[in-house]
Amino acid sequence: MSPNTYPSVNAERLWQRHMDMAKIGGTPGGGVHRLALTSEDIEAHVLLVQWAEARGFSVALDPMGNMFLRREGSDPSLPPVSSGSHTDTQPNGGRFDGITGVLTAFEALETINEAGIETRYPLEVAIWNNEEGARFTPACMGSAAYVGFTDLDDMLSRKDQQDTTMGTCVEELAKALPQAQPRDLGTPIAFFIESHIEQGVKLETSGNVIGAVTGMQGYRRFEIEVIGEDAHSGTTPRSRRKDAFVAATDMTRAMREVLWDDEDEMRYTIGRFDVLPGGVSVVPGQVNFYVDLRYHDKATLDRLADEIPEICKSHADPCEMRIVDTPSVDPMVFPEDVVTSIEAAAERHGYGHERMYSYAGHDARHVARICPAGMVFIPCWKGISHNEAERAEPEHVAAAAQVISDILIDRAAA
Amino acid sequence: MSPNTYPSVNAERLWQRHMDMAKIGGTPGGGVHRLALTSEDIEAHVLLVQWAEARGFSVALDPMGNMFLRREGSDPSLPPVSSGSHTDTQPNGGRFDGITGVLTAFEALETINEAGIETRYPLEVAIWNNEEGARFTPACMGSAAYVGFTDLDDMLSRKDQQDTTMGTCVEELAKALPQAQPRDLGTPIAFFIESHIEQGVKLETSGNVIGAVTGMQGYRRFEIEVIGEDAHSGTTPRSRRKDAFVAATDMTRAMREVLWDDEDEMRYTIGRFDVLPGGVSVVPGQVNFYVDLRYHDKATLDRLADEIPEICKSHADPCEMRIVDTPSVDPMVFPEDVVTSIEAAAERHGYGHERMYSYAGHDARHVARICPAGMVFIPCWKGISHNEAERAEPEHVAAAAQVISDILIDRAAA
């Protein structure tokens, strides 16, 4: 296919689809609150399927709740060339994180379909379940289970704060989509590309529109339970308390001493910290909290993360503690030919581009374990993400869809 | 009435009533989870009314949700001689805190009734609403509003974490008790005495059964909101974060430096600390927490509490903060003649007794603003309270009821 015959995406339609999606779980503050497989998230899946069926695309669901919208190719024996991301958001998250990757992929399929292009490989939009990890841990659950990085039964047994299991939620999703065909986990994928807002300020600062992502930070995660003893705040002297709040905050502070680097490259976050039972006048007998640690260099990441259990233990007294070192993810790099294909597509359409690193984890990280994969970043206002104020520009979203469309055409024709 | 004619309470009946009450909101761990005016707490009120009606006692409700069970006296012009406490518990609280004061009062009225004793003053059991302050703040809400210490409309507008108002809950209670007569807030009370588990280890250590309470710690409470900015934990460097968790924990630690005294007399507690939005991979944009500070000496309490806003402000950067200094309560003393009447009743029945101080706040503190009042403590296993493991012995509960019964007879006959 010659450069000038790549069909143009429909920027207006793509933006409208973003606005339609933002209504599902939309917040008064202009964001989206659509936790994984809540009724809102299931509604988002159903809407995507309605759009897909209007195009004659088929739908499949795997046992982990990942969804696939498919446009057939000419050779039914070939695995799909795929793009996508996720529909779930953080609590009071934004209108672009995840859904932009899904909608740009869908726009690419619609564009290719309207242009009447026959591909050899089937094309798919993948919607990975529970990328955010906000309702159920761990994050990127759907893509990780798909590629065999985590165990399906373990993931389906995970519970949210209301003790609902992921398994129950996946059943709800399946019930809402009776037309979906079953798909086995690990079913081969020929190629995967994901577009996403940058969630940083590099593109905004440089003025470039397309980031060709070269690799991704690794992370380590710990779940820590500090177990003390509930006690009356008025009657119990300090010497008789087993105050889980005091012990847990001492732990988080001690970790800070070790993890806060002068270069400001290490990402150390306590985002969830549950103090129980939570009465104003009760010395808290338990704190459950999570450590999220990210870095680009595996050796340093592991060296520091391996210190965390000992740091926490040394501040537990007089409480007890349990620490779970949850599955870690190593820093990774995307194949060079995928990065260059992104640059070529950007160049073709006159989009300013640069190579960059991803500080966030994304589903593409896991999918890259089973096929060539890559990521396309677009600018994001002030780098703000996981926040109602998250914002991307219509022309940047369209640029991502254009790059994805071009690349899918090339990969699926080959 | 001569010492040997005070009727004996029925220890077995009293214990059985405790066990019946413990079923309402009973937890698998052997405690009670019965937050103020939840369906469980309303059920506890209804059960008390059933018991009262079986005795021919009447029931009244005031606009704050306080309930009064009444045995009439011979002079209808006189205000009631009263005893009681509360039915609500802390989250996963115990089987004695509060309810023992209600049931010993009820046992006293039953005992006096069975003995056919006519009193001049009416006798009442008072059930003060929302003593714990666990579902709605502030604590001791019912008794405080009754005596005019806090404003009724303000209290009724308070919301729980599901945004249900106290006003709605009081309406639910009234609906469940259509037979209740209306009672105005501030309706005079002639005398009030409250029994309670000690929630400390003084009696357990000395082997005494009855504590004649001389006074009560004062407290200061602060509600603090730390407002930062939600951000992605992987992409946002430390220098760009407004991490409310970091700021809030720095505040709690800095307060500790000032408030932790060598004598271990100051009670400084962070029991509720809500980290929002609460995603593992979201830099938290908000923390709401409460400081509970208690001490026996008003000057020292105020001097240290007055430092708290400045300490918090100095650790807020780069977040914003708001601090609310909620209504404080001064340390107080009970009238000497009430204390000696408790000692006399204990002596009469051969119960070991001692004078002691209350480190916890109780409704008697507020009621003491409008009439002579006092408190009776009994031992509590290991001092453990606000905990499922809370335990009191049947013979100690009975001793409290006996002292209350004796004192009500004396005060109501006078």
Side-chain angles (χ1 to χ4, degrees):
Chain A
M1 183 165 281
S2 72
N4 55 3
T5 61
Y6 288 91
S8 294
V9 298
N10 183 334
E12 202 174 310
R13 173 174 63 196
L14 175 58
W15 189 252
Q16 187 57 49
R17 293 225 190 278
H18 273 81
M19 297 304 103
D20 292 344
M21 269 292 163
K23 288 178 194 156
I24 305 177
T27 62
V32 177
H33 182 86
R34 191 168 61 213
L35 304 190
L37 297 196
T38 51
S39 58
E40 290 81 13
D41 190 34
I42 291 176
E43 190 182 338
H45 282 73
V46 168
L47 180 58
L48 283 167
V49 169
Q50 286 169 359
W51 291 341
E53 289 180 334
R55 287 287 182 189
F57 303 159
S58 63
V59 54
L61 277 180
D62 73 22
M64 185 63 244
N66 299 309
M67 186 169 90
F68 307 90
L69 306 174
R70 181 182 182 104
R71 178 178 187 263
E72 292 299 342
S74 59
D75 184 344
S77 71
L78 292 175
V81 165
S82 175
S83 180
S85 190
H86 58 96
T87 54
D88 68 321
T89 72
Q90 288 287 334
N92 294 311
R95 296 175 297 157
F96 300 93
D97 178 355
I99 197 67
T100 288
V102 171
L103 295 178
T104 53
F106 191 75
E107 176 58 36
L109 262 64
E110 288 197 287
T111 298
I112 294 166
N113 201 58
E114 283 187 327
I117 295 171
E118 187 181 82
T119 58
R120 268 189 72 213
Y121 288 77
L123 294 174
E124 282 194 353
V125 180
I127 296 94
W128 304 109
N129 186 18
N130 187 35
E131 194 269 353
E132 296 291 1
R135 182 178 175 199
F136 299 93
T137 58
C140 292
M141 186 185 275
S143 53
Y146 190 86
V147 303
F149 182 68
T150 53
D151 177 67
L152 175 67
D153 290 338
D154 178 16
M155 295 302 110
L156 294 179
S157 72
R158 298 301 176 102
K159 289 178 178 172
D160 69 5
Q161 288 185 283
Q162 277 71 50
D163 271 349
T164 306
T165 65
M166 175 54 88
T168 305
C169 293
V170 171
E171 285 168 23
E172 289 298 316
L173 176 65
K175 240 182 273 175
L177 294 170
Q179 69 272 58
Q181 291 156 26
R183 160 86 62 110
D184 289 337
L185 291 185
T187 302
I189 296 175
F191 173 81
F192 181 73
I193 188 155
E194 177 173 9
S195 82
H196 209 280
I197 53 171
E198 180 196 337
Q199 306 179 297
V201 293
K202 211 171 166 211
L203 290 170
E204 189 177 68
T205 307
S206 68
N208 282 324
V209 171
I210 294 293
V213 180
T214 56
M216 219 176 275
Q217 263 186 147
Y219 66 77
R220 294 281 295 270
R221 288 257 173 86
F222 296 89
E223 301 178 8
I224 299 166
E225 275 182 38
V226 183
I227 302 114
E229 195 170 88
D230 297 353
H232 191 293
S233 69
T235 61
T236 319
R238 207 167 72 239
S239 57
R240 293 179 53 88
R241 294 185 179 197
K242 295 181 178 178
D243 187 327
F245 178 82
V246 168
T249 53
D250 280 352
M251 292 174 194
T252 62
R253 171 121 179 171
M255 282 186 271
R256 215 203 267 183
E257 303 302 325
V258 174
L259 299 172
W260 276 10
D261 56 336
D262 293 341
E263 301 75 26
D264 198 4
E265 284 289 330
M266 182 67 71
R267 307 278 188 258
Y268 161 58
T269 307
I270 309 291
R272 186 166 164 201
F273 187 90
D274 300 332
V275 178
L276 306 171
V280 175
S281 60
V282 187
V283 178
Q286 184 152 0
V287 171
N288 301 333
F289 72 99
Y290 294 76
V291 176
D292 178 269
L293 191 67
R294 308 187 188 212
Y295 200 62
H296 54 80
D297 173 65
K298 177 172 162 57
T300 305
L301 177 63
D302 284 343
R303 180 173 56 76
L304 292 174
D306 288 346
E307 289 186 37
I308 286 179
E310 204 44 56
I311 294 171
C312 291
K313 269 177 208 140
S314 70
H315 289 85
D317 188 62
C319 299
E320 302 293 315
M321 64 158 280
R322 285 195 286 268
I323 183 162
V324 179
D325 189 348
T326 66
S328 67
V329 171
D330 290 342
M332 57 86 76
V333 291
F334 288 118
E336 175 63 18
D337 72 312
V338 179
V339 179
T340 53
S341 73
I342 295 167
E343 292 171 316
E347 198 67 36
R348 183 182 304 137
H349 296 279
Y351 307 140
H353 60 87
E354 66 191 294
R355 293 190 168 211
M356 54 194 309
Y357 195 74
S358 172
Y359 287 92
H362 296 286
D363 292 308
R365 176 208 299 282
H366 290 301
V367 187
R369 298 172 194 274
I370 63 166
C371 68
M375 284 198 80
V376 176
F377 277 177
I378 57 170
C380 153
W381 180 65
K382 287 188 179 176
I384 292 172
S385 181
H386 288 189
N387 187 303
E388 293 179 317
E390 190 180 84
R391 209 172 84 198
E393 298 307 316
E395 63 271 27
H396 297 160
V397 173
Q402 189 64 59
V403 169
I404 299 287
S405 176
D406 282 22
I407 290 175
L408 291 186
I409 289 170
D410 287 341
R411 293 276 173 174
Chain B
M1 182 167 280
S2 73
N4 55 4
T5 61
Y6 287 91
S8 293
V9 297
N10 183 332
E12 203 173 310
R13 173 174 65 197
L14 175 58
W15 189 252
Q16 187 55 49
R17 295 224 189 279
H18 273 82
M19 296 304 103
D20 292 344
M21 269 294 163
K23 287 177 195 157
I24 305 176
T27 62
V32 177
H33 183 85
R34 192 168 59 213
L35 304 191
L37 297 197
T38 51
S39 57
E40 290 82 12
D41 189 34
I42 291 177
E43 190 183 338
H45 281 74
V46 169
L47 180 57
L48 283 167
V49 169
Q50 287 168 356
W51 291 341
E53 290 180 334
R55 287 287 183 190
F57 304 158
S58 63
V59 55
L61 277 181
D62 73 22
M64 185 63 244
N66 299 309
M67 186 170 88
F68 307 90
L69 307 174
R70 181 183 182 104
R71 179 177 186 262
E72 291 299 342
S74 59
D75 184 345
S77 72
L78 293 175
V81 165
S82 174
S83 180
S85 190
H86 59 97
T87 54
D88 68 319
T89 73
Q90 288 287 334
N92 294 311
R95 296 175 298 157
F96 301 94
D97 178 355
I99 197 67
T100 288
V102 171
L103 295 178
T104 54
F106 192 75
E107 176 59 36
L109 262 64
E110 289 197 287
T111 298
I112 294 165
N113 201 58
E114 284 186 326
I117 295 169
E118 186 182 85
T119 59
R120 268 188 71 214
Y121 289 76
L123 294 174
E124 282 194 352
V125 180
I127 297 96
W128 304 108
N129 185 19
N130 188 35
E131 194 269 352
E132 296 291 0
R135 183 178 174 199
F136 299 92
T137 58
C140 291
M141 186 186 277
S143 52
Y146 190 86
V147 303
F149 182 68
T150 52
D151 176 66
L152 175 66
D153 290 338
D154 179 15
M155 295 301 110
L156 294 180
S157 72
R158 297 299 176 104
K159 288 177 178 174
D160 70 5
Q161 289 184 281
Q162 277 70 49
D163 272 349
T164 305
T165 65
M166 174 54 87
T168 305
C169 293
V170 171
E171 284 168 26
E172 289 297 316
L173 176 65
K175 240 182 271 174
L177 295 171
Q179 69 271 60
Q181 292 156 27
R183 161 85 62 108
D184 288 339
L185 290 184
T187 302
I189 295 174
F191 173 82
F192 180 73
I193 189 156
E194 177 173 8
S195 82
H196 209 280
I197 53 171
E198 180 197 337
Q199 305 179 296
V201 294
K202 212 173 165 207
L203 290 170
E204 189 177 67
T205 307
S206 67
N208 283 324
V209 171
I210 294 293
V213 180
T214 56
M216 218 175 276
Q217 261 185 148
Y219 65 76
R220 294 280 295 269
R221 288 255 174 87
F222 295 90
E223 301 178 8
I224 299 165
E225 275 181 39
V226 183
I227 302 113
E229 195 169 89
D230 298 352
H232 191 293
S233 69
T235 60
T236 319
R238 208 166 71 240
S239 58
R240 293 179 55 88
R241 294 185 178 196
K242 295 180 178 180
D243 186 328
F245 178 82
V246 168
T249 53
D250 279 352
M251 292 175 194
T252 63
R253 171 119 178 176
M255 282 187 271
R256 214 201 266 184
E257 304 300 325
V258 174
L259 300 172
W260 277 9
D261 55 337
D262 293 341
E263 301 76 24
D264 197 4
E265 284 289 332
M266 181 67 71
R267 307 280 188 257
Y268 161 58
T269 307
I270 309 292
R272 187 168 162 199
F273 187 91
D274 301 332
V275 178
L276 305 171
V280 174
S281 60
V282 187
V283 177
Q286 184 153 0
V287 172
N288 301 333
F289 71 98
Y290 293 76
V291 177
D292 177 270
L293 191 67
R294 308 188 188 211
Y295 200 63
H296 55 78
D297 173 64
K298 176 171 162 58
T300 305
L301 177 63
D302 284 343
R303 180 174 56 76
L304 291 174
D306 288 345
E307 290 187 35
I308 286 179
E310 204 43 57
I311 294 171
C312 290
K313 268 176 211 143
S314 69
H315 288 84
D317 187 62
C319 300
E320 303 293 315
M321 65 159 281
R322 284 195 286 269
I323 183 162
V324 179
D325 188 348
T326 67
S328 66
V329 171
D330 290 341
M332 56 87 73
V333 291
F334 289 118
E336 176 63 18
D337 72 312
V338 179
V339 180
T340 54
S341 73
I342 295 166
E343 292 172 316
E347 197 68 37
R348 184 184 302 138
H349 296 279
Y351 307 140
H353 59 88
E354 66 190 294
R355 292 188 169 212
M356 57 195 307
Y357 193 75
S358 172
Y359 287 92
H362 296 286
D363 292 308
R365 177 208 298 280
H366 289 301
V367 188
R369 297 171 194 273
I370 62 165
C371 68
M375 284 198 80
V376 176
F377 276 177
I378 57 170
C380 154
W381 180 65
K382 288 188 177 174
I384 293 172
S385 182
H386 289 190
N387 188 302
E388 294 180 317
E390 189 180 85
R391 208 172 83 198
E393 298 306 317
E395 62 270 27
H396 298 160
V397 172
Q402 189 63 60
V403 168
I404 298 286
S405 175
D406 283 22
I407 290 175
L408 291 187
I409 289 170
D410 288 341
R411 293 277 174 172

